[in-house]
Amino acid sequence: MNNSLNDFFKPILNNLSNSVVLLDDKHTIIWLNDTAVLYLKKLFGKALSVGDSFINILPPKQQEALIKNVQSARAHEKVYRETLLDIDGKPVWYASEVKAIESENQFIGILIEAYEITKAKEVQTENVFAGATLNAIKNTSNDTSVLISADKKVLWFNNLFEENVKQFIGIPPEIGGDMTSYVVDGAKEIFAINFDKALKGEHIEIDNEIVVSPNVAEWFSLNFYPVYSHNSNLLGVFFSARNINNRIRNKEKILDTNTKLKSILDNTTDDYILFDSNLNIILANKSANQAAINLHGKPLVEGANITEYYLQGVTERFIENSKRVFEGETIEYEEEINFNGIRTWEQFRLFPIDNERGQVNALAFISSDISELKKNLHELLTERKLFNQGPVVAFKWTLFTEGSVSKYVSANIQDVFGYTIDEIMDKSFLDFLHPDDLKWLDNYVLNPDWNYYVHKDDHVGPYLDTSYRVKCKNGEYKWVNDYSFLVEEPNGEKLVCGYLIDITERKKALIALEETNSQLKNALTRVNTQSKILEVTTNIIVLTDVEGKITWVNDAFEKCTGYTFDEVFEKKPGEVLQGFETNPATVEFISDSIKKEKKLKVEILNYKKSGEKYWVEMNIEPIYDEKGTLTAFLAIENDITTKKDIDRKLRERDERLKTFSFITSHELRHEFAKILLLLENKDLLLEEAFGELDVLTEIEIAANAMNDIISKMNSQLYISDVTEDKFSHLSLDTVDEVCLVDDDEIVCFINTKLIKMSLPNKKVVAFQNVDTALNYIQSTPDTKRFIFLDLNMPYKSGWDFLDEYKAISNPSPVILLTSSIDDVDREQSKQYPQVISFLSKPLTSEKLDVFIR
């Protein structure tokens, strides 16, 4: 290299970022730039200059590589190599090129050029990962997908396309292969026609039945989409297919099912009518037709409008409610209908019918006659299950238009609202209501028409079922549910009677839930990018490396498990989430599938950071780069704990109901039939010298069996602890007297005789009502006694007795002797400290012996 050229090029070569070294045929340095001097010193710790041997500074393996590369370069072959080096403790990627330099066919030297490619390798890795992730997502699709060039060459396909081609064609597809060779004969014409349309810019979405193999035809949903580059050049066609054979076949089943459904509806006692958005009749069952004939003298006709069957008041309310139904609501209400002097109570239910797109396109109307239910309204209101809903205060008020003056409140009003009975009695309860709630109550319960409608013709009609706030003695307000109705006292006075149920906590929970739902909706509206959706999706997403160690999790994982990303990073999911009750077989199945790089779907029991167990449905997919090398595993999980719990509870309920059904249909009916048989044939048995006492003995045996069976039935429906005996040191033989409180005179007579048989000298006093018993007990406060108390009595019940009995100082022990087997009653009795036992009727010597020492 002459001096003039050297002086010209040297400044340029020394300022290059690439390292440049020129070697002679003996690997001696004949020239190098400043960048190469710095690079070689960093790499080998030695400064090199012209005349130094380049090969001697290299390790043995690199010397062999240099000799091989020089030979390839002398043979005019392209030599390019990428090397990962450790520079100052950091991994650095370098690329090197080796070229033979010649001038006029004369060898000058070997040029080695090296440059850093670390950033390029990072971008390349990210692109490979992104492409692999995209392929993994596309390969989880339920559609057969393939990208085809304009000349029908395959550019890309997913796993499902590969599986289907192997199944139906018998050969594996290849990138660059002819697409027409991968189409079954039965679809070639359909494919050709629609592929050409897509090349012209059309979007094709069609359903077709295709013969996929001899004597086998299936339905597919086919999609052809043209694909363009960023500069609007046509790249090809994206084709996808989904098997919809089951959906099409189900249409035929649906038609058959509709016929069966119509037959079922025609045999129901409820009225059923289906309306379109204009309230024209689409369908009506026989019961609804008969009701229309009874009311209007004509049947329901398909296409007729509801206004053609007008019933004053009823039709207007139906039309108004239907507007809300077509907005997506379900409406239920009850109404009394008076037609030609005949009164009936009907329960109406209106609910929307959605089409396949989730739009409301029809209204279903069901009417049920509940007149018999209304006749027993009072009994329904006194059901003990009512008390399960919260603290309950019973009351009697004058009519709302008469000021709602309190005539009776139960003693527990002090426990619920803080007032004594005296602070409430003879005062208007409306004075204790929240001012805002009183405004709308004025328009409803204080409306004279409402009160008139309630008690006209001495008919117990509508009842009040609403919620409002009541002021407590401490100034706070509690939410209550008011369930009241009209009663007539023995003196002819009409009073509003009912229950106030404390629903404050339930109301707070509902308000909190509404606030949470509002916050959730606001959060979802802010989600507008695909990456953010991955963060807020309810699905748990976990990404691991090829060794199964966690490299990324989304927010749903952290919220569900309680573990942060930092806590699980580079750990295997099983090490963190699996526990004692995790099925080892499931764990082995997952491990085996991962080793074989198989995608899988499985349900598994995991543990949260708190130790709480939860179930997930897990889909795991291997991720590959464009070279087919495994790079990661993607797991998408769905929390199915609630579903598992519901399934378990349903199975347990079904088992209890099966047992309950068998008991009622076999054991109970058998004993009941036996009693009827003995009673109906008593004379015949006496004629055959079958003694009267024998008949009674058989009846007694059957009755006792029925009592045991009823207890067994109750155990299938309720699960609770037996009431404990709080005063086991007390005994019947140590008290002065025994009090029986029961409205049934025969029961009192028999129980008195029974106690006398066990304790001949014991005084037994019987009472048929609560007030008489309480007056007697209060008049003899120093008497030691046992009290046997019935629960279900008219006017005042056993519960009323216990409420008033609490105020008596030094109360005697009470034994509940009742026909009730309801666990609600049993649990309620535990609230009264004077109750020492809960016995089911009848009283027997064996039951008495428990209380005699």
Side-chain angles (χ1 to χ4, degrees):
M1 187 178 293
N2 61 50
N3 291 335
S4 60
L5 288 177
N6 187 56
D7 293 339
F8 179 76
F9 285 111
K10 187 175 181 180
I12 298 175
L13 293 170
N14 280 332
N15 283 280
L16 289 176
S17 60
N18 295 353
S19 299
V20 180
V21 179
L22 187 64
L23 308 177
D24 62 15
D25 55 358
K26 296 181 180 179
H27 309 118
T28 301
I29 299 174
I30 57 177
W31 188 88
L32 75 168
N33 68 349
D34 293 346
T35 306
V37 172
L38 295 174
Y39 165 65
L40 293 173
K41 186 175 181 180
K42 277 186 179 182
L43 190 60
F44 300 108
K46 180 180 179 181
L48 298 177
S49 59
V50 174
D52 290 336
S53 173
F54 183 76
I55 196 169
N56 288 339
I57 67 170
L58 299 178
K61 286 188 178 180
Q62 292 188 19
Q63 289 181 8
E64 295 176 5
L66 177 63
I67 294 171
K68 185 177 179 181
N69 291 336
V70 169
Q71 290 174 349
S72 298
R74 293 293 299 268
H76 303 290
E77 295 177 4
K78 183 178 179 180
V79 179
Y80 174 84
R81 184 181 180 186
E82 293 180 359
T83 307
L84 179 62
L85 302 175
D86 188 332
I87 305 294
D88 295 333
K90 295 181 180 179
V92 180
W93 278 95
Y94 274 91
S96 59
E97 296 183 30
V98 182
K99 301 176 184 177
I101 306 299
E102 297 178 352
S103 177
E104 298 179 355
N105 294 325
Q106 183 178 358
F107 175 72
I108 295 176
I110 297 296
L111 182 68
I112 301 176
E113 184 178 6
Y115 44 92
E116 186 178 346
I117 59 169
T118 304
K119 291 293 183 183
K121 290 293 287 185
E122 290 176 355
V123 172
Q124 180 186 16
T125 302
E126 291 174 359
N127 288 339
V128 168
F129 178 78
T133 303
L134 176 62
N135 282 335
I137 294 172
K138 288 183 177 179
N139 284 330
T140 59
S141 169
N142 292 324
D143 294 347
T144 296
S145 303
V146 58
L147 183 63
I148 311 161
S149 67
D151 59 352
K152 299 183 180 179
K153 300 297 183 183
V154 174
L155 301 176
W156 173 91
F157 55 84
N158 68 352
N159 289 348
L160 194 55
F161 176 82
E162 182 178 10
E163 292 173 6
N164 287 338
V165 170
K166 288 179 180 178
Q167 178 183 352
F168 296 120
I169 306 300
I171 58 173
E174 296 179 353
I175 300 298
D178 185 357
M179 178 61 192
T180 57
S181 63
Y182 303 139
V183 180
V184 295
D185 293 339
K188 286 187 182 296
E189 183 178 355
I190 298 169
F191 177 82
I193 293 171
N194 291 290
F195 183 85
D196 290 341
K197 289 181 180 180
L199 285 178
K200 295 175 182 178
E202 290 188 46
H203 291 198
I204 314 296
E205 296 182 5
I206 56 172
D207 295 342
N208 264 98
E209 187 177 29
I210 297 173
V211 178
V212 295
S213 61
N215 302 319
V216 177
E218 296 188 357
W219 280 87
F220 290 87
S221 176
L222 308 176
N223 298 274
F224 298 80
Y225 296 99
V227 179
Y228 300 93
S229 66
H230 67 280
N231 55 4
S232 301
N233 292 327
L234 181 67
L235 296 177
V237 174
F238 183 80
F239 167 73
S240 67
R242 173 174 291 191
N243 191 310
I244 57 171
N245 197 57
N246 289 337
R247 189 177 74 191
I248 297 298
R249 299 295 182 235
N250 284 339
K251 286 185 178 179
E252 299 174 1
K253 295 180 181 178
I254 290 171
L255 292 175
D256 180 57
T257 301
N258 285 341
T259 303
K260 294 177 181 177
L261 179 61
K262 180 65 166 58
S263 175
I264 293 170
L265 291 174
D266 280 341
N267 286 279
T268 61
T269 56
D270 291 341
D271 301 341
Y272 176 89
I273 310 174
L274 192 65
F275 294 94
D276 63 18
S277 58
N278 297 318
L279 298 184
N280 295 324
I281 298 171
I282 300 174
L283 175 69
N285 69 346
K286 287 182 180 179
S287 180
N289 265 315
Q290 188 59 51
I293 293 171
N294 295 340
L295 291 174
H296 306 284
K298 58 180 180 180
L300 299 171
V301 179
E302 184 177 333
N305 195 271
I306 184 61
T307 55
E308 297 182 26
Y309 302 90
Y310 181 77
L311 192 62
Q312 186 173 3
V314 178
T315 304
E316 289 96 328
R317 279 185 287 277
F318 175 83
I319 294 173
E320 187 63 29
N321 286 326
S322 68
K323 296 176 183 177
R324 295 163 55 192
V325 173
F326 279 102
E327 293 176 356
E329 286 189 55
T330 295
I331 298 175
E332 296 184 22
Y333 62 100
E334 298 172 1
E335 189 164 353
E336 187 182 35
I337 298 176
N338 184 352
F339 187 77
N340 293 335
I342 301 175
R343 296 178 182 274
T344 61
W345 270 94
E346 297 289 329
Q347 182 184 61
F348 298 135
R349 185 165 188 259
L350 292 74
F351 56 92
I353 304 296
D354 296 344
N355 58 21
E356 292 181 353
R357 296 183 297 277
Q359 300 168 331
V360 180
N361 66 346
L363 177 153
F365 168 80
I366 297 177
S367 174
S368 306
D369 188 337
I370 59 170
S371 301
E372 286 298 318
L373 180 63
K374 285 296 178 181
K375 290 180 182 179
N376 298 313
L377 178 61
H378 180 73
E379 287 76 6
L380 289 174
L381 288 174
T382 56
E383 274 287 336
R384 303 316 302 172
K385 292 177 184 178
L386 179 66
F387 289 86
N388 266 348
Q389 301 180 40
V392 178
V393 175
F395 65 84
K396 287 184 182 179
W397 300 329
T398 60
L399 296 179
F400 294 105
T401 51
E402 296 174 6
S404 191
V405 177
S406 300
K407 293 298 183 181
Y408 166 80
V409 291
S410 55
N412 64 329
I413 190 168
Q414 188 166 5
D415 297 332
V416 180
F417 300 114
Y419 301 107
T420 64
I421 295 176
D422 292 338
E423 291 172 329
I424 298 293
M425 287 295 291
D426 298 322
K427 296 181 178 63
S428 174
F429 197 74
L430 298 177
D431 294 339
F432 297 85
L433 303 188
H434 194 287
D436 294 341
D437 295 339
L438 191 59
K439 291 177 183 178
W440 69 264
L441 285 169
D442 281 343
N443 298 327
Y444 182 46
V445 299
L446 301 184
N447 188 323
D449 291 339
W450 188 86
N451 286 280
Y452 172 75
Y453 184 52
V454 169
H455 61 80
K456 63 182 178 180
D457 300 329
D458 294 326
H459 176 71
V460 177
Y463 52 86
L464 181 65
D465 183 7
T466 189
S467 301
Y468 49 79
R469 286 163 287 184
V470 174
K471 187 176 182 180
C472 300
K473 189 171 182 178
N474 62 6
E476 297 178 355
Y477 281 92
K478 284 189 175 182
W479 278 95
V480 299
N481 185 213
D482 181 344
Y483 205 100
S484 54
F485 51 95
L486 192 70
V487 297
E488 184 172 345
E489 296 293 278
N491 61 5
E493 183 181 16
K494 290 184 172 62
L495 297 178
V496 176
C497 174
Y499 301 92
L500 296 178
I501 307 170
D502 185 354
I503 60 170
T504 305
E505 294 303 317
R506 193 192 321 164
K507 197 74 175 180
K508 288 180 181 177
L510 181 60
I511 292 172
L513 179 61
E514 290 173 351
E515 290 176 352
T516 301
N517 287 340
S518 176
Q519 293 171 0
L520 179 59
K521 290 178 181 177
N522 292 337
L524 290 177
T525 58
R526 295 193 295 269
V527 179
N528 55 11
T529 64
Q530 185 176 1
S531 60
K532 192 64 179 176
I533 290 174
L534 287 175
E535 291 297 328
V536 301
T537 181
T538 56
N539 285 339
I540 299 166
I541 300 178
V542 179
L543 197 65
T544 71
D545 59 19
V546 294
E547 295 179 356
K549 296 180 179 179
I550 296 173
T551 58
W552 182 82
V553 297
N554 67 341
D555 287 350
F557 174 90
E558 296 185 352
K559 290 176 182 177
C560 176
T561 66
Y563 290 104
T564 65
F565 172 64
D566 292 338
E567 290 176 310
V568 299
F569 179 60
E570 292 190 341
K571 294 181 181 178
K572 292 187 177 182
E575 298 174 358
V576 181
L577 303 176
Q578 293 167 11
F580 179 72
E581 294 184 30
T582 304
N583 191 335
T586 304
V587 175
E588 184 178 355
F589 170 71
I590 295 172
S591 177
D592 184 61
S593 298
I594 290 176
K595 288 177 182 177
K596 296 178 180 178
E597 300 181 15
K598 289 183 178 180
K599 61 181 180 181
L600 65 108
K601 180 177 182 181
V602 70
E603 294 180 358
I604 189 170
L605 178 68
N606 282 340
Y607 289 78
K608 299 182 181 181
K609 185 178 180 180
S610 63
E612 179 185 353
K613 294 180 286 189
Y614 69 102
W615 279 91
V616 291
E617 180 183 74
M618 181 164 55
N619 293 271
I620 299 180
E621 181 82 19
I623 298 177
Y624 301 92
D625 61 17
E626 77 282 355
K627 296 179 181 179
T629 302
L630 179 69
T631 60
F633 287 96
L634 178 67
I636 300 177
E637 303 173 5
N638 184 31
D639 190 332
I640 58 169
T641 307
T642 302
K643 174 181 175 296
K644 283 282 188 179
D645 189 48
I646 290 174
D647 290 343
R648 177 184 59 79
K649 290 180 179 178
L650 287 175
R651 288 193 300 271
E652 292 175 355
R653 185 204 63 181
D654 289 344
E655 289 302 318
R656 290 200 302 272
L657 289 179
K658 286 177 183 178
T659 305
F660 181 82
S661 174
F662 178 83
I663 293 171
T664 55
S665 61
H666 294 77
E667 298 181 26
L668 185 62
R669 183 170 178 80
H670 172 77
E671 300 300 333
F672 182 69
K674 181 178 178 181
I675 290 175
L676 290 179
L677 180 66
L678 292 169
L679 292 175
E680 290 177 2
N681 296 279
K682 181 176 69 174
D683 294 338
L684 177 62
L685 293 170
L686 293 176
E687 288 177 5
E688 295 295 328
F690 195 84
E692 184 174 352
L693 290 179
D694 292 336
V695 174
L696 292 176
T697 299
E698 290 297 321
I699 292 175
E700 180 183 7
I701 293 171
N704 287 332
M706 288 176 66
N707 187 56
D708 292 340
I709 292 168
I710 290 171
S711 297
K712 190 193 301 183
M713 289 162 55
N714 183 61
S715 69
Q716 295 303 315
L717 298 179
Y718 301 99
I719 303 173
S720 74
D721 298 325
V722 177
T723 303
E724 63 174 335
D725 186 345
K726 301 182 179 69
F727 303 98
S728 58
H729 63 282
L730 298 175
S731 173
L732 275 173
D733 53 0
T734 62
V735 299
D736 300 326
E737 67 179 16
V738 178
C739 287
L740 304 176
V741 185
D742 195 312
D743 63 306
D744 193 317
E745 187 175 357
I746 295 298
V747 171
C748 287
F749 173 78
I750 294 174
N751 287 346
T752 299
K753 294 294 185 183
L754 189 62
I755 294 171
K756 288 285 189 179
M757 288 174 62
S758 298
L759 299 166
N761 299 321
K762 192 64 60 182
K763 180 181 178 181
V764 181
V765 187
F767 303 95
Q768 271 77 57
N769 64 74
V770 168
D771 287 338
T772 304
L774 286 171
N775 289 336
Y776 173 80
I777 292 169
Q778 288 174 327
S779 67
T780 55
D782 297 328
T783 302
K784 295 181 180 179
R785 59 173 63 89
F786 262 50
I787 301 171
F788 286 86
L789 175 65
D790 186 22
L791 285 178
N792 299 314
M793 291 181 285
Y795 185 58
K796 284 189 177 181
S797 68
W799 299 114
D800 296 319
F801 176 95
L802 291 172
D803 288 336
E804 297 183 35
Y805 192 56
K806 286 194 300 186
I808 296 178
S809 60
N810 192 26
S812 300
V814 176
I815 301 169
L816 294 182
L817 181 61
T818 175
S819 57
S820 171
I821 60 171
D822 195 338
D823 259 23
V824 175
D825 286 340
R826 187 182 298 272
E827 291 301 315
Q828 180 73 8
S829 70
K830 294 180 181 180
Q831 299 180 15
Y832 299 92
Q834 62 271 32
V835 175
I836 66 169
S837 189
F838 190 104
L839 300 180
S840 295
K841 288 182 176 179
L843 183 63
T844 64
S845 300
E846 289 78 7
K847 293 177 181 177
L848 274 175
D849 288 343
V850 175
F851 304 98
I852 300 174
R853 296 187 187 279

